Amino acid sequence: MIRTGFPTVGPTLTSVGEHAVIDAIVRASPSPINGDDAAVLTPSTPNSRVVAATDMLVEGRHFRADLTTPEFVGRKAVVQNFADIEAMGARPIAALLAIAAPPEMPLAVIEGLARGVGQATADYSTELVGGDVTQSDQLVVSVAAIGSLGGNRDPLSLDHARPGQRVVAHGDIGYSAAGFALLNAGVRIPEALEPLVHAHQVPRLTPGRGVVARAAGATAMTDNSDGLIRDLSQIATHSKVGIDLSSLAIAPDDLLRKAGELLEQDPWEWVLTGGEDHTLLGTCDGSAPVGFRSIGRVTRTGQVLIDATAPHYTNGWESFG
């Protein structure tokens, strides 16, 4: 069943005050080390390095309150940040949450956001360990993710792809974009297509896949946040290589084709430019790591191609577009 809409009634942020808002967040996403001036984290493994990432979700720019729920926004904010940790081959260990919100916003919205954050961090056996709240004209949700990179292998940075390697992926490609298109179209969404909507509202990422890939010998990795072609172009540019994708490996599946027929849109555009799936995209020698599938090869061309041909769609998310 599709859930959308933010709470519009109940006590507001200005009526309860800052400390009550913070207390509500801590209750909704509890942690024994959240509540002091700063959180002290215990190193998770010997010979480890700290990895940090942060990202924001701005209402009206990254999400619409009528097309999602506060819980889903909270979960999505965590996944998009933890995906960046995973893409380095690291393990998420904690999250920080900062919220800017209009004072007339119902407290229930913030409680829902915090519940979503708590649910997502629990999926990774981590916790929300601190943050901040303040007043603004629109809702802004910012998560900072902290991770641990164990062992002496290199992180899976963008500049470590090599010609001849396999290009691999873990996760759906094009689902989030298709889900947003369905919601935004205002049509009756068949039950069979609801997984696409849910993929947009709450992207899925299996915890630990980045660590598995690094242990299996992957060398470069990113996540599909801005669009498949655009994100793989980052690896190609930084590594000074090309990438040739297999059209059979990335072709729209039955769900995407059905959504395309319903909306009279080409599902290939969702696959190539959609983003927000947070699918892990990497390069490796030999076989694909467990949980990953092969989608192409690293070449020397300096371009991202499909079956050695330029893709029809190359756009993607642009923060200032």
Side-chain angles (χ1 to χ4, degrees):
M1 179 180 178
I2 296 173
R3 293 166 53 199
T4 59
F6 274 35
T8 57
V9 298
T12 64
L13 305 185
T14 191
S15 69
V16 300
E18 177 182 353
H19 291 292
V21 172
I22 294 172
D23 289 343
I25 293 172
V26 172
R27 285 195 303 273
S29 184
S31 167
I33 60 175
N34 186 2
D36 215 316
D37 289 330
V40 178
L41 306 179
T42 303
S44 56
T45 58
N47 190 27
S48 64
R49 286 159 282 178
V50 175
V51 182
T54 188
D55 214 337
M56 291 187 294
L57 290 173
V58 179
E59 184 178 5
R61 178 64 174 165
H62 300 100
F63 67 92
R64 282 173 43 186
D66 61 324
L67 299 183
T68 187
T69 71
E71 287 83 359
F72 290 160
V73 172
R75 290 180 65 90
K76 189 171 190 174
V78 170
V79 170
Q80 70 179 30
N81 281 277
F82 279 9
D84 287 335
I85 300 295
E86 293 264 3
M88 299 303 291
R91 182 174 69 86
I93 58 174
L96 300 166
L97 172 66
I99 298 174
E104 67 275 9
M105 177 168 284
L107 178 62
V109 172
I110 306 304
E111 290 174 325
L113 286 168
R115 277 194 300 273
V117 168
Q119 291 162 2
T121 53
D123 290 342
Y124 287 82
S125 299
T126 66
E127 295 175 326
L128 176 65
V129 298
D132 190 24
V133 294
T134 191
Q135 178 176 325
S136 69
D137 294 331
Q138 63 187 130
L139 179 61
V140 179
V141 182
S142 178
V143 167
I146 310 298
S148 175
L149 187 73
N152 57 10
R153 288 180 181 268
D154 289 337
L156 305 182
S157 54
L158 294 170
D159 59 356
H160 277 40
R162 300 187 296 268
Q165 287 187 314
R166 186 185 303 270
V167 180
V168 297
H170 169 76
D172 301 317
I173 301 176
Y175 272 37
S176 178
F180 176 73
L182 287 166
L183 285 169
N184 198 47
V187 299
R188 188 187 70 80
I189 301 172
E191 184 176 351
L193 298 183
E194 288 184 6
L196 299 176
V197 173
H198 193 63
H200 171 70
Q201 294 175 324
V202 188
R204 295 173 292 178
L205 180 64
T206 304
R209 288 302 97 186
V211 175
V212 167
R214 179 167 170 261
T219 59
M221 187 166 286
T222 189
D223 73 298
N224 180 21
S225 56
D226 296 334
L228 182 65
I229 300 300
R230 178 161 292 192
D231 288 317
L232 287 177
S233 293
Q234 289 294 307
I235 291 180
T237 298
H238 283 78
S239 296
K240 297 180 174 59
V241 298
I243 289 175
D244 190 15
L245 298 171
S246 164
S247 61
L248 290 177
I250 63 171
D253 64 12
D254 188 53
L255 276 182
L256 291 174
R257 290 195 299 270
K258 287 180 178 177
E261 291 170 2
L262 177 65
L263 301 181
E264 298 182 346
Q265 294 186 32
D266 184 358
W268 273 103
E269 186 170 7
W270 298 327
V271 169
L272 300 180
T273 71
E276 281 205 324
D277 290 304
H278 300 294
T279 298
L280 296 180
L281 305 167
T283 66
C284 67
D285 298 302
S287 301
V290 174
F292 286 76
R293 64 190 183 278
S294 179
I295 63 171
R297 288 283 180 181
V298 182
T299 68
R300 299 181 184 275
T301 65
Q303 299 174 279
V304 178
L305 305 174
I306 301 175
D307 298 337
T309 302
H312 292 300
Y313 304 104
T314 59
N315 294 329
W317 173 260
E318 174 54 61
S319 292
F320 296 98

